[in-house]
């Protein structure tokens, strides 16, 4: 490893050690035109106060189709409804939201293409689903880049996040509007097995979401990653098609994975998030007032999602223990060193903005 990689790895590993000692209806027709991907007009730096219902900039009524893979009991599933209710309220009915959850409209593997094609207006996305069109964003999929919830939300809901989201819009024609905390991902298995160091994952068939970025993270952690859609995960665990999975503990609870698992190892390998994302053509058709209403509703959803997940994370371990699961503490420093070395030694990191990465780490 060259001197830069060694220094960065030591910096990241040291920071980690110090910081740590996803309403239903029928399928709609295409709501926005597919085609070229004009740049999105940049959102306001902060949600503006709602304009009066009779304001000159209100614009024509708009209905947004919002499709997610998450179940409604997930915090970000519930936040979809908060977004809908807030937007419809503050717009006085000028803007309405048609919600689909649980992959009933588009599944996790197809929703990104759907929003790019204009078949839906909004989805939850994240860096891991955007690497095909923006390889550089794989930097945000690497394990142990963010050290905590506060670190992640400060970066992604601040100026850096806005720059990242605007670049995605220019490259892919979809615009993330904010960053919701999904939770910190852990490893859970169908067997009672302690995962202390990466070597303990050798030979473990670990379910990962179906994208190259997710699969790489599984390999970097030392596991044998198996790509399976979220909606198929419970059955895959139940039948033994995979040995385990990685998800934040609130998801283990809400999706009832604890019914088919026996142990959890606290690896803290990814401070995970989802990004409410809109088709750029849809966004550019909105008036400034409508855009600010959307941003205000996004922020209401973020607060609801983050607060619920933070509360659940503080309580969920006791619940999972009551269900009979064993919970083990992994050697986080050993995982951080192994995972980061793997990324920095692989061409996957060639497209990264190393100066930006250092800036992010300095904010930890």
């Amino acid at each position: 490893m060259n001197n830069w990689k060694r220094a960065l790895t030591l910096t990241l590993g040291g920071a980690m050690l110090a910081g740590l000692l996803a309403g239903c209806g029928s399928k709609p027709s295409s709501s926005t035109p597919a085609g070229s991907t004009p740049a999105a007009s940049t959102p306001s730096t902060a949600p503006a106060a709602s304009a009066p219902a009779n304001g000159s900039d209100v614009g024509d009524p708009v209905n947004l189709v919002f499709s997610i893979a998450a179940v409604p009991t997930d915090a970000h599933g519930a936040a979809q409804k908060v977004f809908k209710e807030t937007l419809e309220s503050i717009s006085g009915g000028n803007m309405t939201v048609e919600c689909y959850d649980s992959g009933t409209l588009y599944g996790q593997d197809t929703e990104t293409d759907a929003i790019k094609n204009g078949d839906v207006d909004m989805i939850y996305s994240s860096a891991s689903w955007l690497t095909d069109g923006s390889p550089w964003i794989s930097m945000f999929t690497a394990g142990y880049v963010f050290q905590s919830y506060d670190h992640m939300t400060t970066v992604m809901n601040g100026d850096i996040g806005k720059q990242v989201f605007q670049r995605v819009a220019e490259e892919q024609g979809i615009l993330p509007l904010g960053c919701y905390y999904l939770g910190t991902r852990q490893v859970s298995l169908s067997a009672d097995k302690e995962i202390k160091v990466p070597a303990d994952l050798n030979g473990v068939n670990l379910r990962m979401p179906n994208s190259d970025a997710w699969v790489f993270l599984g390999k970097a952690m030392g596991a044998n990653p198996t790509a399976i859609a979220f909606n198929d995960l419970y059955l895959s665990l139940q039948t033994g098609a995979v040995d385990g999975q990685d998800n934040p503990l609130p998801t283990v609870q809400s999706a009832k994975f604890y019914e088919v698992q026996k142990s959890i190892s606290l690896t803290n390998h990814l401070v995970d998030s989802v990004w409410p994302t809109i088709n750029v053509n849809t966004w550019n058709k909105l008036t400034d007032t409508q855009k600010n209403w959307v941003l205000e509703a996004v922020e209401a959803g973020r607060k609801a999602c983050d607060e619920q997940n933070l509360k659940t994370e503080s309580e969920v371990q006791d619940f999972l223990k009551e269900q009979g699961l064993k919970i083990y503490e992994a050697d986080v420093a050993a995982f951080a060193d192994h995972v980061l070395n793997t990324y920095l030694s692989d061409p996957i990191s060639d497209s990264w903005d190393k100066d930006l990465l250092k800036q992010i780490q300095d904010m930890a």
Side-chain angles (χ1 to χ4, degrees):
M1 183 183 296
N2 60 34
N3 291 336
W4 180 88
K5 288 182 177 178
R6 184 177 293 109
L8 181 57
T9 300
L10 290 173
T11 299
L12 295 173
M16 171 53 62
L17 184 59
L20 288 176
L21 271 171
C24 298
S26 59
K27 182 173 180 178
S29 59
S30 176
S31 56
T32 55
S36 61
T37 57
S41 51
T42 305
S44 305
T45 56
S50 304
N54 60 352
S56 60
D57 191 35
V58 168
D60 295 330
V62 173
N63 179 67
L64 299 175
V65 178
F66 192 172
S67 171
I68 64 174
V71 296
T73 50
D74 274 337
H76 56 303
Q80 182 197 39
K81 305 305 186 294
V82 174
F83 171 84
K84 169 186 170 67
E85 292 166 1
T86 302
L87 183 57
E88 293 180 349
S89 176
I90 63 178
S91 71
N94 173 265
M95 302 190 74
T96 55
V97 185
E98 197 173 329
C99 290
Y100 297 82
D101 57 48
S102 308
T104 55
L105 191 57
Y106 290 98
Q108 202 171 49
D109 297 343
T110 58
E111 60 185 3
T112 300
D113 285 340
I115 189 174
K116 288 182 179 180
N117 293 336
D119 296 326
V120 294
D121 298 304
M122 294 184 68
I123 64 168
Y124 282 137
S125 190
S126 69
S128 297
W129 298 103
L130 299 173
T131 54
D132 285 348
S134 304
W136 56 272
I137 210 169
S138 64
M139 186 174 77
F140 295 94
T141 72
Y144 303 103
V145 167
F146 295 119
Q147 313 305 314
S148 66
Y149 162 75
D150 287 336
H151 183 203
M152 181 277 296
T153 197
T154 298
V155 172
M156 298 309 298
N157 287 307
D159 290 339
I160 290 176
K162 290 183 177 65
Q163 295 168 19
V164 168
F165 297 160
Q166 186 63 26
R167 185 174 174 185
V168 170
E170 293 166 358
E171 294 175 348
Q172 303 200 43
I174 57 178
L175 175 67
L177 298 172
C179 180
Y180 292 4
Y181 181 52
L182 187 59
T184 299
R185 298 180 83 97
Q186 318 292 355
V187 171
S188 57
L189 303 176
S190 299
D192 182 2
K193 178 180 179 178
E194 179 179 11
I195 303 299
K196 191 75 174 180
V197 295
D200 294 331
L201 282 173
N202 184 36
V204 173
N205 292 322
L206 190 69
R207 176 268 176 181
M208 301 297 288
N210 190 15
S211 78
D212 291 343
W214 280 115
V215 170
F216 189 94
L217 175 58
K219 290 180 179 178
M221 293 179 66
N224 177 29
T226 302
I228 294 176
F230 183 82
N231 302 84
D232 300 324
L233 179 51
Y234 185 99
L235 182 60
S236 297
L237 293 167
Q238 188 177 46
T239 61
V242 289
D243 301 318
Q245 57 97 32
D246 88 309
N247 257 307
L249 298 189
T251 301
V252 175
Q253 181 181 31
S254 63
K256 299 187 177 181
F257 294 147
Y258 59 83
E259 296 178 343
V260 288
Q261 302 205 278
K262 293 183 180 178
S263 65
I264 293 171
S265 293
L266 302 177
T267 52
N268 296 326
H269 56 275
L270 187 67
V271 182
D272 204 7
S273 61
V274 293
W275 306 345
T277 300
I278 193 167
N279 177 284
V280 162
N281 289 327
T282 299
W283 178 254
N284 286 341
K285 289 178 180 178
L286 303 180
T287 67
D288 287 344
T289 293
Q290 290 172 327
K291 289 176 181 177
N292 282 324
W293 283 336
V294 170
L295 291 172
E296 189 172 340
V298 165
E299 176 64 9
R302 185 196 67 79
K303 288 181 178 179
C305 179
D306 291 14
E307 289 173 3
Q308 181 177 333
N309 273 333
L310 289 167
K311 181 176 185 296
T312 302
E313 280 190 319
S314 70
E315 304 169 345
V316 70
Q317 287 194 39
D318 289 340
F319 170 83
L320 294 173
K321 288 176 182 178
E322 291 171 359
Q323 307 308 309
L325 275 72
K326 297 287 185 64
I327 298 182
Y328 301 104
E329 295 280 348
D331 185 340
V332 173
F335 265 100
D337 183 66
H338 183 273
V339 168
L340 290 166
N341 272 321
T342 301
Y343 274 90
L344 293 171
S345 300
D346 190 272
I348 194 173
S349 63
D350 290 350
S351 64
W352 292 6
D353 184 334
K354 305 302 196 310
D355 292 335
L356 179 59
L357 180 58
K358 184 179 185 306
Q359 181 183 349
I360 290 170
Q361 287 301 313
D362 288 345
M363 295 171 65

